[in-house]
Amino acid sequence: MPGTNLTREEARTRADLLRVDAYDIELDLGSARDGGTFRSTTVVRFAANTPGADSFIDLVAPSVEEITLNGAPLDPGSFADSRIPLPNLAAENELRVVATCAYTNTGEGLHRFVDPVDGETYLYTQFEVPDARRVFASFEQPDLKATFAFTVTAPEGWVVVSNAPTPEPVGEGATRVWKFEPTGRISTYITALIAGPYVGVFDAYENGEQRVPLGVYCRPSLREFLDAEAIFEVTKQGFDYFQEKFDYAYPFPKYDQLFVPEFNAGAMENAGAVTFRDQYVFRSKVTDAAYESRAATILHELAHMWFGNLVTMEWWNDLWLNESFATFAEAVCQAEAPGSRWPHSWTTFANQMKTWAYRQDQLPSTHPIMAEINDLEDVQVNFDGITYAKGASVLKQLVAYVGQDAFFQGVQAYFKRHAWGNTRLSDLLGALEEASGRDLKAWSKSWLETAGINVLRPSVVLNTDGEIESFAVLQEAPALPTGAKGAAVLRPHRIAIGLYELTDDGSLVRTERIELDVDGPRTEVPELVGRHRPAVVLLNDDDLSYAKIRLDEDSMAVVTEHLGGFTESLPRALCWASAWDMTRDGELATRDYLSLALSGIGRESDIGVVQSVQRQVKLALDAYADPQWREQGLARWAAAAEEHLRAAEPGSDHQLAWARSLAAVARTDGQLGLLAGLLDGSVEVKGLAVDTELRWTLLTRLSATGRADDSAIAAELERDNTAAGQEHAATCRAARPTAEAKAEAWASVVESDKLTNYVQEAVIAGFQQSDQRELLAPYAAKYFAAVKGIWETRSHEISQQIIGGLYPSLQVSAETLAATDAWLTEAEPAPALRRQVVEARAGIERALKAQAVDRAAGAR
Ligand SMILES: [Zn+2]
């Protein structure tokens, strides 16, 4: 609906006209246990600088009962297309809207969840990007800030949390009323309400006179797993670090962190009331990588309290800056905060953020970091690897360029100057220019206004004595996919070059580091001339810049054999990443990538890197291997997984990671028998805890291979009859290798809209099984017949899951490309829908190319 899809032009016009002062919002959630709808009463006071002008307020609701503007009733029938027209405004206005709003089960607006363990109802809001309007009438754009005072009626005995501190509830009988104090001036999308019989754990951050109350909440059924102490520890480290670096005290009256059910994203930075997906409360053993990732998310959201919440983007085109800053901040804080458990965070950053960014930046939909965001649909599909990961990589490069001290000085000035206001990119760049004395216009133009990844290659010429005669860094323009926006450019890169020698015990040790500016197609490195050639020359060592790195032939030979020999984790991660993107690019055959992984992974100590390589090897074998050879590769990988599982230190993270990896690929009777034996307890791997989550992982594979039937799935659900258990059971059922199971899964997602966001995601994960290609083949045509209708009738989150998740990605063939192209021509999809399908299509194109390379390698 056009009214729902607010355009930038409309937002600008409205911001020019209005200044919003205050919202008073009354929500009656007294019958939340029954679901359905709730009453929402909004009184908003605002000024208009052109009396007599018209405007509108946003609302997504089943019905409106009353509209009163400046004391005069307006016709509730004027509410249409998710807007209430506001005619003939006065200089000062008071608007009252009484509406009936709906609970959701999609994680958007006011989400309602019933926990099967206690039968209780749990609510939370999720408003970014434009969903506050599903709960109250609002001017839904980030630059119309205001104060918000919530008054909430909810069942007696509930916990109610919002941006302001929770007041004592009043009243008697079955419900109570919580009357919150007004917030400071904030944007609608970071207001929040969490309500239900949640349980809380409390602490405080104290620093001199300052005292900030801290709370951590979850459902009672997860309470036994909630390690609140660990969460408070990271949170306090973040408070210390950010307050010092930003030179600005935490701006809100308290800081609550709430782990909530069926949450779509990782977390959301609501001012003083951050919501997290509750898989971050670990029910079973997870590796240290999961703790690290949770800590990173905690710090990311905390950084948003300043960058995003205190100072807010004017419009969604600067979403990238908001997300990139928080992503950079999480990594730099983990690397530097005293007491941090993850000082190697830049390795994780290289391993995860960079990989995500490189992948996204090679899709046909790639775009400059500064994207054109014309309306809300544009931004909703733009929470992508460019916005978060490339942006953060480029900020890291900017810090290398201006220096970290100058960077934080600029940031400090920016917070002081713009506190409680809205900004554009130029405001931040201006502050950084003042602090650093550097002109950032050229930098900004080449890094923020262009798309794609440069490739950096070394050019080494040796003389007859084996000394370096010349050394240069060659830069290539990005190979932009057809249809991608923006020109392919060379960029200025601040990089380090690492020189590594191989020691007698097979270790690779850095003997020298040179930092320099690379610009243009060829940059000479005179420092290296006349020296003997080191074993490995690593460009972009320390990962300062954003570029694909290639090794010269001699270095590649050493790395192929000794990748695990690097004594530091970051150069290993860079080499792993380089091998991976060479495989994706068809510069390294999948079978050669597999050999490299098998030779190096045993010495890889960084568990996050191990888990990434495991995923990437599986993905390469499924998508990029020559189909004629694929089974051999999978068999080799499965055998290696079993060996590593049996050889791993008992109880270690590596052991758990290999158990999961084996469960993803097990194929022989022996391997599947091992999974079944671990599950029924007849087989033991010393030190391996076969706990709730691992049991489901094993059962999923057994279901997919026809070794576990409905009754086995039902029995497991009886053991773990929780929301998570129900989701896992849905995955198992959809994974069964029968036409009936596939038809049932398909119908539940495509032909019905009853599934919640999490159950739907679980069904899709089970449906797509890489060794069920033939069984799934008929669904390619069904997909193209259904996808447009899905887009038009489902909510944004739900349709995004289906469009990407059910695309026939496993049917790697020219026919799939042709079917996609035919659909793109005939269906005339909306830009946001087109983008998602085009991205999925690119996966097929890439796989076909890589398969040909792997086939040729097999023939050599
Ligand atoms: Zn964020």
Side-chain angles (χ1 to χ4, degrees), residues 225 227 230-231 234 280-298 334 341-342 607 611 653:
F225 308 112
D227 51 342
I231 293 162
V234 173
Y280 274 141
V281 178
F282 304 120
R283 303 195 307 154
S284 296
K285 180 177 163 67
V286 292
T287 69
D288 194 53
Y291 288 97
E292 182 184 2
S293 148
R294 182 178 70 180
T297 305
I298 289 171
Q334 281 189 311
R341 275 182 58 198
W342 297 280
I607 188 64
Q611 290 179 284
D653 284 357

Side-chain angles (χ1 to χ4, degrees), residues 22 36 96 192 233 300 448 481 545 767 812:
R96 178 180 149 92
E233 185 190 340
H300 177 110
L448 304 179
S545 194
F767 179 83
V812 176

Side-chain angles (χ1 to χ4, degrees), residues 128 267-269 297 300-301 304 307 319 322-327 330 383 388:
E128 193 180 22
M268 175 65 207
E269 69 264 24
T297 305
H300 177 110
E301 306 311 328
H304 272 313
F307 205 105
L319 174 72
N322 195 30
E323 294 309 343
S324 300
F325 185 91
T327 304
E330 79 192 37
F383 282 76
Y388 282 77

